[in-house]
Amino acid sequence: MSWSSWLLSVVDISIVAYGLYRFFLLIRGTRAVQLIKGIIILLVAVPVSNWLHLYTTHFLLQQIQVMLVVALPIVFQPELRRALEHIGQGRFFSEGILVHEETDMAKAIDELARACDHLSRSRTGALFVIERTTGLNEYAATGTPIGAIVSAPLLENIFVPNTPLHDGACIIRGDRVIAAAAFLPLTDSAQPGSELGSRHRAAIGISEQSDAISVAVSEETGWISVAVEGQLYRRLDDRALRDMLSRLLITKPHAPLKIWRRGVNS
């Protein structure tokens, strides 16, 4: 192998490695991460089922693999579009260094609960979405970037009526507000009832499509509601909200759901 062939091989591998690195940065913080995990599990299951002589299972998995070839461009349409936009804008090769920041979730929860209490007393409508494992970058991109530490005055100020950011959702990641005035998917479920509007439907909708926790304050009644895993918990005060968010975000994520379902107010 000549030195020129060796050099071209190194360049070739470097280009592919950097392209994969940029791709992972691009999908980081989106639902695509969970989809890719599912695809990897499916790809591993195919040879395992063959090795275990599970012929029917192996046949079905092979057919699903064939369908994935057609389904992948549809499933990853938002990510593919964003990648092409980044390439066209020259951002695909220039953006991105991984940043790890420490977060104080207890303080963020306390500030959010205080803000919701004040908004509830003044009957000011609000919608907060707290990111967990599933990234919400695709929804944050529809709003206005903020990038500020969570504080009660900031959260209250965002939802002052007739201001540019009050219409939409405020997205929180860790102890930072990453975006405001973001658009969320509405639920198709009949659970909210006719007395609840688009704010609560959006709160349930985002909790159905991700593992995020949404907190809504009604401007008609002042009630504080929390949506988790497609389930709406209503008529919470600031103490109950603080306790529920602490259980969901600081302790084991699935332990408190049984507790809250027993005392849900619908």
Side-chain angles (χ1 to χ4, degrees):
M1 188 174 184
S2 64
W3 68 269
S4 58
S5 299
W6 180 85
L7 181 61
L8 288 174
S9 298
V10 171
V11 172
D12 188 23
I13 294 172
S14 300
I15 291 172
V16 173
Y18 184 73
L20 290 174
Y21 167 73
R22 296 301 314 175
F23 173 74
F24 288 130
L25 285 184
L26 186 66
I27 66 171
R28 185 184 56 145
T30 68
R31 289 180 299 165
V33 176
Q34 276 68 39
L35 294 174
I36 289 177
K37 289 179 181 178
I39 292 171
I40 292 174
I41 293 173
L42 179 62
L43 293 177
V44 171
V46 173
V48 170
S49 63
N50 185 44
W51 179 68
L52 294 174
H53 303 293
L54 303 174
Y55 299 114
T56 304
T57 302
H58 180 68
F59 172 77
L60 290 175
L61 290 175
Q62 281 186 317
Q63 302 312 305
I64 293 174
Q65 265 190 327
V66 174
M67 289 188 292
L68 276 179
V69 176
V70 178
L72 281 179
I74 300 172
V75 172
F76 289 101
Q77 186 266 341
E79 287 73 24
L80 291 173
R81 182 175 62 185
R82 189 160 57 251
L84 292 174
E85 289 175 352
H86 281 212
I87 292 173
Q89 296 168 2
R91 295 161 54 194
F92 187 81
F93 300 100
S94 60
E95 275 186 359
I97 300 239
L98 292 174
V99 178
H100 300 277
E101 297 180 353
E102 293 184 0
T103 61
D104 187 349
M105 283 306 303
K107 183 177 179 182
I109 289 170
D110 183 66
E111 293 291 327
L112 176 58
R114 285 204 299 128
C116 288
D117 182 51
H118 296 162
L119 292 167
S120 174
R121 293 176 187 275
S122 64
R123 294 200 175 183
T124 302
L127 177 56
F128 304 98
V129 180
I130 306 170
E131 182 184 87
R132 290 204 281 179
T133 304
T134 305
L136 301 176
N137 282 353
E138 58 195 282
Y139 301 110
T142 66
T144 301
I146 302 294
I149 297 291
V150 172
S151 67
L154 171 63
L155 299 180
E156 293 174 48
N157 192 64
I158 287 174
F159 290 99
V160 172
N162 302 319
T163 56
L165 300 181
H166 88 284
D167 189 16
C170 173
I171 299 180
I172 298 172
R173 175 182 296 152
D175 61 353
R176 288 187 174 272
V177 178
I178 61 172
F183 293 98
L184 303 179
L186 301 182
T187 182
D188 294 325
S189 169
Q191 177 194 175
S194 58
E195 77 278 8
L196 298 181
S198 59
R199 181 175 291 114
H200 290 79
R201 292 184 179 277
I204 298 174
I206 190 64
S207 72
E208 290 174 336
Q209 298 196 20
S210 71
D211 65 348
I213 303 168
S214 49
V215 182
V217 180
S218 171
E219 59 186 327
E220 288 82 12
T221 63
W223 293 346
I224 300 173
S225 304
V226 173
V228 186
E229 298 179 353
Q231 182 70 38
L232 187 67
Y233 304 87
R234 299 170 59 191
R235 302 185 186 183
L236 304 176
D237 57 20
D238 63 318
R239 181 175 298 178
L241 174 63
R242 187 179 287 105
D243 182 47
M244 188 175 188
L245 293 181
S246 296
R247 291 172 181 268
L248 289 167
L249 296 169
I250 298 177
T251 59
K252 293 182 179 180
H254 297 296
L257 294 180
K258 296 180 181 178
I259 298 173
W260 285 101
R261 279 178 183 148
R262 286 202 295 264
V264 64
N265 292 312
S266 57

